[in-house]
Amino acid sequence: MSPAQQPCVLVVEDESAQREVLQYNLEAEGFRVVMAVNGDEALLFLREEKPDLVVLDWMLPNVSGIEICRRVKANPETRSIPIIMLSARSEESDRVRGLETGADDYVVKPYSVVELMARLRTQLRRTRPATMGERLVFDDIILDAAEHRVFRDGQPLKLGPTEFRLLSTLMEKPGRVWTRDQLLDRVWGRDIYVDTRTIDVHVGRLRKALMVNGGADPVRTVRGTGYSLG
C-alpha cells in the first residue's frame, strides 16, 4: 500500500511511553502515524491536514481532549473524522460526557492494544472502507479492494493503480464532491508534487475504462470544483 493509500492516524498523547506504544502498533498495522503532544499541536495539524482518524487523550496540557473533540465536531470540514478518546476516567458519567461531546468511541486506560486496534479498524471501515479491504458497490460497479479487482455489469475492468485508487476514493462516498486538491492528497499523497491537471487526465482514463462496454459515465464533473461519483 502506497503512503497515499495508508490511512493517516493522528495520535494526541502527552505521555511519551504511550506515544511509542501507539506509534509502534499503528505502523505495524499499516497506518501512517502523526504525533501531537498537546492540544495546540493537534489543532494546528487538523487545520493543515485532515487525518482519517484521531486517537485522542482526554488529559492534555493547555487544551483538553474534550475541548479538541468539541472543536473538531463543531467544524463542518472536520466533523466526519472519527475520534477515539483515551482516558483513565472510567466512570459512566465520564464515558457519557466524552461520547456526547462527539467522540465516536471511548477507551479506558489501561487498555488492550489488540482491542484498540480492532476499534480503530471498525471506525475506518465506516469512513475509508476501501483501505480496509472492503468490497464497494455503486449501481452496477463493484470494487473488490482485497483482490484489487473492478467489475461493471459483471464484466471485469482493467484499471491502472492510480485509476483504481481514484475510483475507490470516489466510491467510498458516492455523491460527495471531491476537489482536485482533496483527490491529489488522497490518491497521490501530500508529499508528492503533482499538477492538479493530472487529476483531469486520470479521470479521463477512469471514465474510458468504466465505459468500455457501453455503460453510462458515472463520474460527474462539478465545474470549478472537482468530481463526484453519481
Side-chain angles (χ1 to χ4, degrees), residues 106-145:
Y106 189 100
V107 177
V108 176
K109 295 180 177 181
Y111 52 83
S112 160
V113 172
V114 173
E115 180 183 355
L116 177 61
M117 294 299 115
R119 289 172 180 259
L120 187 146
R121 287 192 296 269
T122 296
Q123 293 298 328
L124 286 173
R125 283 192 189 97
R126 179 172 60 84
T127 56
R128 287 198 65 181
T131 61
M132 306 308 294
E134 300 291 302
R135 171 181 272 208
L136 306 182
V137 179
F138 175 79
D139 289 343
D140 61 348
I141 303 170
I142 298 174
L143 185 147
D144 190 323

Side-chain angles (χ1 to χ4, degrees), residues 10-22:
L10 170 62
V11 174
V12 191
E13 171 63 74
D14 62 325
E15 296 182 17
S16 60
Q18 291 285 328
R19 286 199 306 274
E20 289 176 8
V21 169
L22 287 167

Side-chain angles (χ1 to χ4, degrees), residues 96-110:
V96 170
R97 183 183 175 194
L99 294 170
E100 286 186 342
T101 304
D104 297 271
D105 203 349
Y106 189 100
V107 177
V108 176
K109 295 180 177 181

